[in-house]
Amino acid sequence: MMLHSLSDRISYIPATTQPLSADIGIVHGDSFDWIFDVGSTAAIANAIQEFDKEKKIVLSHFHKDHIGNIEHIDYCDMYCGDYTYLKLHKGTEIRSPISCEDGVRLTIFPIPSAHAKGMLGLEVDEKYAFLGDAVYGAQKKGRTAYNVNMLQETIKTLESLKARRFLVSHDAAFVRDKEQVISELKGLYSQRIPGEAFLFL
Ligand SMILES: [Zn+2]
């Protein structure tokens, strides 16, 4: 399993397309291994199980490529957004940002997103922010569509983060500059058509 290191505390397992499985973030705290998304393949579940410490899980959103392995992983706490909670009926529902210290400073926060309701991000030491699929649109009538109001809210939330590095699931680069990601989203927002709720790409 390819574990990529971002710092002495933070690493990730890259996403795959066949089968579809999201990037997995791992933050090695003093007391816990914090896992952002759990993927959907047995190989990923096994890799996550092998981390030494007790695990705390953060699920970005309810899509299978992000949460598929949740039944196959032992953990002491799991945090998720409202729609993920509706699907799993377990975990701690996060409706507003919460922070904690575990040798690193961690903040779990909701991200309004056109991609899925109940999206969560995880900011680490105000340097890195795992964003799951928050920057993507949704599939509507076979096309990618952004709810324009939601896109505006996504931009606002991401601008308010201190982290300069955004970790964008499924993106070939994965580690992106904050400014670059926000300027791309603003570019999309500028293509909206007045009076139309959705921007179709
Ligand atoms: Zn998704």
mmCIF file of all heavy atoms in Angstrom, residues 61 63 65-66 115-116 119 133 170, ligand 1:
data_model
loop_
_atom_site.group_PDB
_atom_site.id
_atom_site.type_symbol
_atom_site.label_atom_id
_atom_site.label_comp_id
_atom_site.label_asym_id
_atom_site.label_seq_id
_atom_site.Cartn_x
_atom_site.Cartn_y
_atom_site.Cartn_z
ATOM 1 N N HIS A 61 -18.036 12.625 3.542
ATOM 2 C CA HIS A 61 -19.434 12.604 3.107
ATOM 3 C C HIS A 61 -19.835 11.166 2.843
ATOM 4 O O HIS A 61 -19.023 10.249 2.969
ATOM 5 C CB HIS A 61 -19.666 13.508 1.902
ATOM 6 C CG HIS A 61 -18.953 13.098 0.640
ATOM 7 N ND1 HIS A 61 -17.584 13.008 0.560
ATOM 8 C CD2 HIS A 61 -19.426 12.744 -0.587
ATOM 9 C CE1 HIS A 61 -17.250 12.638 -0.666
ATOM 10 N NE2 HIS A 61 -18.339 12.454 -1.384
ATOM 11 N N HIS A 63 -20.689 9.231 0.306
ATOM 12 C CA HIS A 63 -20.491 8.413 -0.900
ATOM 13 C C HIS A 63 -19.621 7.192 -0.595
ATOM 14 O O HIS A 63 -18.677 7.269 0.190
ATOM 15 C CB HIS A 63 -19.872 9.254 -2.025
ATOM 16 C CG HIS A 63 -20.824 10.294 -2.572
ATOM 17 N ND1 HIS A 63 -20.422 11.376 -3.305
ATOM 18 C CD2 HIS A 63 -22.184 10.382 -2.464
ATOM 19 C CE1 HIS A 63 -21.481 12.101 -3.640
ATOM 20 N NE2 HIS A 63 -22.556 11.524 -3.141
ATOM 21 N N ASP A 65 -17.288 5.500 -2.054
ATOM 22 C CA ASP A 65 -15.823 5.477 -2.221
ATOM 23 C C ASP A 65 -15.110 6.134 -1.038
ATOM 24 O O ASP A 65 -13.893 6.000 -0.895
ATOM 25 C CB ASP A 65 -15.407 6.115 -3.556
ATOM 26 C CG ASP A 65 -15.975 7.507 -3.773
ATOM 27 O OD1 ASP A 65 -17.150 7.735 -3.448
ATOM 28 O OD2 ASP A 65 -15.224 8.375 -4.273
ATOM 29 N N HIS A 66 -15.872 6.829 -0.180
ATOM 30 C CA HIS A 66 -15.291 7.474 1.019
ATOM 31 C C HIS A 66 -15.599 6.717 2.311
ATOM 32 O O HIS A 66 -14.814 6.776 3.252
ATOM 33 C CB HIS A 66 -15.782 8.925 1.126
ATOM 34 C CG HIS A 66 -15.331 9.779 -0.013
ATOM 35 N ND1 HIS A 66 -14.305 10.703 0.099
ATOM 36 C CD2 HIS A 66 -15.724 9.815 -1.308
ATOM 37 C CE1 HIS A 66 -14.102 11.279 -1.077
ATOM 38 N NE2 HIS A 66 -14.958 10.759 -1.956
ATOM 39 N N HIS A 115 -21.570 19.245 -4.109
ATOM 40 C CA HIS A 115 -21.342 17.823 -4.410
ATOM 41 C C HIS A 115 -22.217 16.893 -3.572
ATOM 42 O O HIS A 115 -22.767 15.927 -4.087
ATOM 43 C CB HIS A 115 -19.866 17.501 -4.184
ATOM 44 C CG HIS A 115 -19.511 16.073 -4.448
ATOM 45 N ND1 HIS A 115 -19.380 15.575 -5.724
ATOM 46 C CD2 HIS A 115 -19.277 15.029 -3.614
ATOM 47 C CE1 HIS A 115 -19.079 14.288 -5.661
ATOM 48 N NE2 HIS A 115 -19.011 13.926 -4.394
ATOM 49 N N ALA A 116 -22.305 17.188 -2.274
ATOM 50 C CA ALA A 116 -23.097 16.341 -1.376
ATOM 51 C C ALA A 116 -23.415 17.136 -0.119
ATOM 52 O O ALA A 116 -22.623 17.983 0.306
ATOM 53 C CB ALA A 116 -22.322 15.076 -1.000
ATOM 54 N N MET A 119 -21.086 17.672 4.080
ATOM 55 C CA MET A 119 -19.651 17.486 3.836
ATOM 56 C C MET A 119 -18.843 18.010 5.026
ATOM 57 O O MET A 119 -19.161 19.053 5.587
ATOM 58 C CB MET A 119 -19.271 18.261 2.567
ATOM 59 C CG MET A 119 -17.834 18.099 2.101
ATOM 60 S SD MET A 119 -17.491 16.538 1.240
ATOM 61 C CE MET A 119 -18.441 16.742 -0.264
ATOM 62 N N ASP A 133 -14.551 15.707 -1.239
ATOM 63 C CA ASP A 133 -15.018 16.080 -2.586
ATOM 64 C C ASP A 133 -15.701 17.448 -2.596
ATOM 65 O O ASP A 133 -16.480 17.754 -3.503
ATOM 66 C CB ASP A 133 -16.028 15.029 -3.101
ATOM 67 C CG ASP A 133 -15.370 13.700 -3.434
ATOM 68 O OD1 ASP A 133 -14.126 13.610 -3.393
ATOM 69 O OD2 ASP A 133 -16.111 12.740 -3.733
ATOM 70 N N HIS A 170 -9.368 12.613 -5.121
ATOM 71 C CA HIS A 170 -9.478 12.224 -6.544
ATOM 72 C C HIS A 170 -8.676 13.126 -7.474
ATOM 73 O O HIS A 170 -8.599 12.854 -8.675
ATOM 74 C CB HIS A 170 -10.927 12.193 -7.035
ATOM 75 C CG HIS A 170 -11.853 11.361 -6.193
ATOM 76 N ND1 HIS A 170 -11.739 9.995 -6.100
ATOM 77 C CD2 HIS A 170 -12.894 11.709 -5.391
ATOM 78 C CE1 HIS A 170 -12.701 9.548 -5.292
ATOM 79 N NE2 HIS A 170 -13.384 10.568 -4.846
HETATM 80 ZN ZN ZN B 1 -18.339 12.092 -3.522
#
